Amino acid sequence: MRIGIVNASSRFSRERGAAIEAWFAAHVTDGSVEAVIHPASYAEHGHFGGDDASRAAAFVEYANDPGVDAVWFARGGYGSCRIAGAVLPQLTGAAREKRYLGYSDAGTLLAGMYKAGFAQVAHGPMASDAVRDPAAARRALDWLTSGDPASWEPSLHDDPRPAAAFNLSILDALVGTELEPDLSGHVLMLEEVSEPLYRVDRMMFHLTGQASIRRVAGIRLGRVSEVVANDPDFGLTAEEIVRDWCGRTGIPYLGAADIGHDADNKVVPFGPRPA
């Protein structure tokens, strides 16, 4: 099996790419899985891992290549929203047969593909996580190669409803755009990193104020980590904020989700689970 690694977002270093290749060499010793990092992933263009055109072309190339069996996002950051509109119309039937995995900024492309009917997209560890934690890398590899349910966020085993997961900032920016998928009846899982709590509160105000989001089956909250300090203290925890806005808007709050910007991030396949 060949897994294509592409960068749709911020700069991605050759050192990080070499570390990912070293992880595969050390942990996939039977040759059953080959990881291929697109050469354009190492390009630099200001903040981005190459200009918009080169990042879009690399993603389309691997997505449409029948010799690539799955696509794994290299890293997050920022930039995928700048290429999604150009990428999606170019994807072929071959692209629809693959699994796609990532989180953070990759959520923009995952959302657009899910809206377009792609059946195998998931929020979960990215290729960069392979050099941070072997368990996260193995979890990602298990889902990319077989869709292994052992990699899933635990609540998915007991709740038959369709699900989706996003970084809160990403989904808040997506609502109302052409990339926003229909999440009616879905269990929506949210996580966040490196934000002060007043911004979490403001994003929840905006998100839960959308008619489309009020049609979800409920919200689960993943980890809100590396919180930037408020001065003065905001006075509510992240969970209290989410509970409050769910209560105000009539969205059921369903409890915790085992997702986040960390090594324990579990896989959330979008939509219903296979029977």
Side-chain angles (χ1 to χ4, degrees), residues 5-13 37-38 40-43 47-51 54-56 58-59 62 71-78 80 83 105 109:
I5 297 174
V6 294
N7 181 24
S9 306
S10 301
R11 291 187 182 190
F12 180 69
S13 70
I37 301 174
H38 196 288
S41 299
Y42 301 121
H47 172 92
F48 306 104
D51 62 22
S54 67
R55 297 196 324 279
F59 181 83
Y62 271 10
V71 174
W72 201 8
F73 288 95
R75 62 155 300 164
Y78 173 68
S80 67
I83 68 171
D105 188 60
L109 276 167

Side-chain angles (χ1 to χ4, degrees), residues 61-152:
E61 179 185 339
Y62 271 10
N64 287 344
D65 184 350
V68 172
D69 301 294
V71 174
W72 201 8
F73 288 95
R75 62 155 300 164
Y78 173 68
S80 67
C81 67
R82 297 173 59 91
I83 68 171
V87 160
L88 293 170
Q90 299 183 61
L91 300 180
T92 65
R96 292 179 176 272
E97 300 299 317
K98 297 175 171 59
R99 292 189 177 95
Y100 298 82
L101 183 65
Y103 67 105
S104 186
D105 188 60
T108 300
L109 276 167
L110 296 175
M113 287 189 288
Y114 187 54
K115 180 179 181 180
F118 283 64
Q120 299 185 98
V121 301
H123 177 286
M126 287 184 286
S128 290
D129 293 316
V131 301
R132 298 189 182 105
D133 186 85
R138 176 55 63 183
R139 191 182 312 124
L141 195 60
D142 288 346
W143 187 81
L144 284 166
T145 56
S146 68
D148 185 359
S151 65
W152 294 352

